[in-house]
Amino acid sequence: MSPKPFAPLAKKWMKGIIVIELLGVFGAYALFHAMNTSQDFRSTMKRRFPSILEVYYKSNELAGEYGVRQRDQLDWATDAGGR
């Protein structure tokens, strides 16, 4: 029986898909880490991508970490009033 002609192509595709998946996972982690460690970055995300910031807040609340959203809103309201 002859070897399947698409086997090498399928292996390349699978390797490519796995690499893309890994890049997505590491990218999502890097974004979460940046939002988790920097209130300034969260402020930028609020202006540019509010839906992503909302996902960040909800994921923290699902994990049991409450108060991040309220602390940010309080700090941003204080900063806006002082200008």
Side-chain angles (χ1 to χ4, degrees), residues 30-48:
L31 181 64
F32 175 81
H33 181 69
M35 283 195 285
N36 205 34
T37 57
S38 172
Q39 190 177 36
D40 289 335
F41 187 73
R42 288 194 300 272
S43 177
T44 301
M45 293 300 288
K46 178 185 173 196
R47 285 191 315 274
R48 293 186 181 170

Side-chain angles (χ1 to χ4, degrees), residues 12-25:
K12 277 187 179 179
W13 276 86
M14 281 305 295
K15 285 180 184 178
I17 290 171
I18 289 171
V19 166
I20 290 170
E21 290 270 338
L22 286 172
L23 287 174
V25 167

Side-chain angles (χ1 to χ4, degrees), residues 65-76:
E65 187 174 333
Y66 299 98
V68 177
R69 179 194 314 253
Q70 292 79 8
R71 190 169 48 248
D72 285 348
Q73 289 173 345
L74 181 63
D75 288 348
W76 294 333

